[in-house]
Amino acid sequence: MAGLVLFTVAVAAVATLLILAPGVAVAYALARWDGPGKGVVETVLALPMVLPPTAVGLVLLELLAVNGPLGRVLDAWGVEVVFTPKAVVLASAVMAFPLLVRSARSGFEEVDPRLVAVARTLGDSRARAFFRVTLPLAWRGVLVGALLAFSRALGEFGATVLVAGNIPGRTQTLSLAIFQHTQLGEDAQALRLAGVAALLAFVAVYATEVVTRRRGRRVRA
């Protein structure tokens, strides 16, 4: 069980780290951009949250299969993704990405643009003002988004089972193992794993709530 738990946590952590930089960039762009097509972009980014996870997994499978558009390119480079641990990380990252973007975007929207303008008038470049002013003021929103993404990745099932399969010792996570034991009638083992999953989820969500409450107090102040 320890190996299964460590693998699940590692997958969630790697998936969160992979989407952190692009998620922050997209969140910042959405917070500052009011151009045409913004609603369409926001809708597309939110689709993984409302689509059945199996539908997202099917799209990933079609894209990454050996005869798929991305799969052919990766195969030419000797990179195999489908039914490997890479696919588990990818599926988790895709499903968690919208949560990171939404929360980080809220954090950036709370930053007073006048503070950034002051930094620019003092000689900071746009990038320097972002790292010296915007990001430090929005860090709680980014952190909440990262914690929510990590929590989502911990429990990912639908997309993962299609693009990565349920291979014990290779692509099996806690949620997949719970499903397998339930299918085999091994309810006691499934319940033990469900308890571990619930504990991990509790820790992640509790940390999110703590940061959110502190963020709320700072905004009210």
Side-chain angles (χ1 to χ4, degrees):
M1 181 186 295
L4 184 63
V5 173
L6 288 175
F7 178 71
T8 302
V9 173
V11 164
V14 172
T16 303
L17 289 174
L18 283 177
I19 64 175
L20 188 57
V24 168
V26 170
Y28 178 73
L30 289 175
R32 294 291 181 261
W33 174 48
D34 289 318
K38 181 179 179 179
V40 175
V41 174
E42 291 173 330
T43 302
V44 170
L45 290 174
L47 283 179
M49 291 195 300
V50 296
L51 283 173
T54 47
V56 178
L58 180 60
V59 171
L60 290 175
L61 182 61
E62 291 296 324
L63 288 173
L64 297 169
V66 175
N67 58 347
L70 293 179
R72 283 194 292 267
V73 176
L74 294 173
D75 186 61
W77 292 346
V79 178
E80 183 182 2
V81 177
V82 176
F83 302 123
T84 70
K86 299 184 190 71
V88 185
V89 172
L90 179 61
S92 300
V94 169
M95 296 303 296
F97 188 75
L99 291 173
L100 171 61
V101 171
R102 288 173 72 88
S103 181
R105 175 188 170 186
S106 296
F108 288 126
E109 287 176 341
E110 292 171 1
V111 177
D112 190 341
R114 290 174 297 182
L115 298 176
V116 181
V118 169
R120 295 297 305 277
T121 59
L122 293 176
D124 282 351
S125 64
R126 188 180 299 273
R128 187 175 176 84
F130 173 80
F131 286 107
R132 291 189 61 190
V133 179
T134 306
L135 189 58
L137 292 175
W139 74 268
R140 282 189 175 86
V142 174
L143 180 57
V144 168
L147 289 171
L148 287 172
F150 178 78
S151 303
R152 180 65 183 85
L154 278 176
E156 167 49 32
F157 174 81
T160 302
V161 75
L162 278 179
V163 75
N166 186 9
I167 308 171
R170 181 169 170 81
T171 65
Q172 189 177 74
T173 60
L174 271 172
S175 57
L176 295 174
I178 292 169
F179 175 76
Q180 182 181 44
H181 285 298
T182 302
Q183 291 293 100
L184 295 174
E186 300 170 350
D187 292 352
Q189 181 66 5
L191 283 172
R192 283 195 290 271
L193 292 176
V196 173
L199 178 61
L200 291 173
F202 176 85
V203 172
V205 174
Y206 182 77
T208 303
E209 290 297 325
V210 169
V211 176
T212 301
R213 285 198 298 272
R214 291 179 178 175
R215 177 184 173 194
R217 287 197 295 269
R218 183 178 67 85
V219 171
R220 287 193 295 271

